[in-house]
Amino acid sequence: ADLAELTAEVSVCRACPRLVTWREDVARDKRASFAGEPYWGRPIAGWGSETPGVLIVGLAPAANGGNRTGRIFTGDRSGDWLFAALHRVGLAAQPTSVHAGDGQRLLGARMVAAVRCAPPDNKPTTVERDTCAPWLEREVELVGGSVRAVVCLGQYGWDAALRTLRSLGYDVPRPKPRFGHAAEARVTAPGGREVTVLGSYHPSQQNTFTGRLTEPMLDAVLTRAAALAVE
Ligand code: SF4
């Protein structure tokens, strides 16, 4: 399978009954608020370069962000923050990501969600997390050969990335490296290539409004990832 097939397959996944109901209910209830715009209401695929040096791992699409626009971190406040930072450090062509047809491009980077459907309260269950894990594994199998830095947004992204890499045969240190902002863990791909896993606080409103995550803090992690990608 190639990336186009993976994107097509995940887009019609209905494996988690609670999330299928939620994503479709939100789409039905909120469509009127975004009159005239298409409302996705389905799983969101990975997006960006097919040979990324930087892989960005988030939690799940926001109900009215990725779930609405069909593109990860697009059309919500977290995405506004993230794309502004990606643009500042040269990983995105534009400073905003508004809708799937806005011309935005990631430069040498790819974004994926650990869980591909919007969960209520941004909290997937453990079963939902594990049910969705193979999509991330398949994507990393397809694009991982070029990746030098994995940027994990929040503890959830960190855990998902390390779990995925370990299941694909990467040598991940034990005990599992601890998440923190600007935390770094070196993992070794089968074949010996080194990959650096970087932690960042999630650019959620909860973190950005309170100043727990500032623009310079996010820029520093993304700058480090971009530098690793061209080493
Ligand atoms: Fe499928 Fe993942 Fe969505 Fe569950 S969360 S329905 S496994 S795409």
Side-chain angles (χ1 to χ4, degrees):
D2 63 15
L3 268 178
E5 283 169 8
L6 185 66
T7 296
E9 280 182 48
V10 72
S11 300
V12 294
C13 180
R14 302 182 68 83
C16 304
R18 186 183 77 120
L19 299 189
V20 170
T21 302
W22 172 253
R23 77 194 192 202
E24 293 177 356
D25 283 357
V26 170
R28 193 180 50 243
D29 296 347
K30 295 288 181 177
R31 204 167 258 136
S33 317
F34 299 95
E37 294 176 31
Y39 203 112
W40 182 247
R42 291 203 264 145
I44 51 158
W47 177 70
S49 168
E50 297 192 355
T51 53
V54 177
L55 184 69
I56 300 161
V57 182
L59 195 175
N64 285 310
N67 188 55
R68 172 170 64 87
T69 61
R71 195 170 75 192
I72 185 166
F73 279 115
T74 295
D76 64 62
R77 294 261 169 83
S78 300
D80 290 347
W81 252 73
L82 182 58
F83 275 96
L86 288 166
H87 181 65
R88 286 193 296 270
V89 307
L91 290 171
Q94 300 176 15
T96 60
S97 187
V98 186
H99 59 79
D102 61 5
Q104 176 63 288
R105 282 178 306 125
L106 290 174
L107 308 173
R110 187 171 186 86
M111 285 181 177
V112 293
V115 173
R116 304 303 174 96
C117 293
D121 298 325
N122 290 322
K123 287 196 182 79
T125 65
T126 307
V127 170
E128 289 160 353
R129 180 197 77 187
D130 292 346
T131 305
C132 207
W135 293 117
L136 180 58
E137 286 169 19
R138 284 177 60 187
E139 188 148 357
V140 174
E141 250 183 321
L142 286 170
V143 305
S146 58
V147 172
R148 297 290 179 276
V150 180
V151 176
C152 307
L153 300 174
Q155 174 92 51
Y156 202 94
W158 176 264
D159 290 343
L162 291 177
R163 207 179 299 116
T164 299
L165 293 169
R166 189 172 275 156
S167 74
L168 291 173
Y170 287 64
D171 189 9
V172 176
R174 288 184 193 272
K176 193 183 76 178
R178 282 171 66 100
F179 172 74
H181 187 80
E184 293 196 11
R186 286 267 168 158
V187 305
T188 311
R193 183 173 44 88
E194 289 232 310
V195 177
T196 304
V197 180
L198 298 164
S200 171
Y201 291 151
H202 193 283
S204 63
Q205 280 184 274
Q206 203 181 349
N207 285 338
T208 56
F209 274 16
T210 56
R212 184 163 189 254
L213 178 66
T214 64
E215 290 182 352
M217 285 168 72
L218 184 54
D219 290 4
V221 171
L222 295 175
T223 299
R224 170 83 174 128
L228 286 162
V230 296
E231 251 180 19

